[in-house]
Amino acid sequence: MLYTFKILLPQIILTMVAFSTFWLSPECGERLGLAITVPLAVAVYDLLVYNSLPTSNRISFVSAMGLLAFLFSVVVLVANAIVIQLWFYRRAAQAGFEWEGRNSWKL
């Protein structure tokens, strides 16, 4: 019961917060900031939790859940970065800008 409420539940909540970034508009500047903050928060939380767990040579369920939460949050971060890039690329193309090369736009 202790592991459920003090260790697993916060990891599940942090993962749900990561997925909630998809509800924000791509024009919102906080979307990518929140998506970057969640993997950092999961990593710090895992460091704090792992210090309180007993040492073992095997991967525990709590460790596996922490790794899974971190992987989900990184996947959400990459997906958000791709969505935002495509969103602004499409908006620039609709405005009449053409992509010339690396980091340059032509009117």
Side-chain angles (χ1 to χ4, degrees):
M1 196 63 127
L2 171 75
Y3 287 123
T4 303
F5 287 113
K6 291 201 172 195
I7 296 175
L8 295 179
L9 190 63
Q11 287 179 344
I12 292 169
I13 290 172
L14 282 172
T15 306
M16 289 173 30
V17 167
F19 282 109
S20 71
T21 59
F22 291 115
W23 287 333
L24 297 173
S25 170
E27 295 176 338
C28 178
E30 309 304 324
R31 180 175 177 162
L32 197 57
L34 181 60
I36 289 171
T37 303
V38 172
L40 296 174
V42 169
V44 169
Y45 186 74
D46 284 345
L47 287 174
L48 294 174
V49 166
Y50 293 155
N51 288 335
S52 66
L53 293 176
T55 58
S56 173
N57 292 334
R58 300 177 64 205
I59 295 177
S60 66
F61 178 73
V62 174
S63 300
M65 287 296 291
L67 180 63
L68 193 63
F70 183 76
L71 289 176
F72 277 147
S73 62
V74 169
V75 167
V76 167
L77 172 62
V78 170
N80 272 306
I82 292 170
V83 166
I84 289 172
Q85 177 66 28
L86 292 175
W87 173 266
F88 285 109
Y89 178 75
R90 187 189 71 173
R91 297 248 345 240
Q94 287 175 349
F97 291 101
E98 293 179 15
W99 182 252
E100 265 192 351
R102 187 173 185 173
N103 298 331
S104 62
W105 293 92
K106 181 177 87 172
L107 188 58

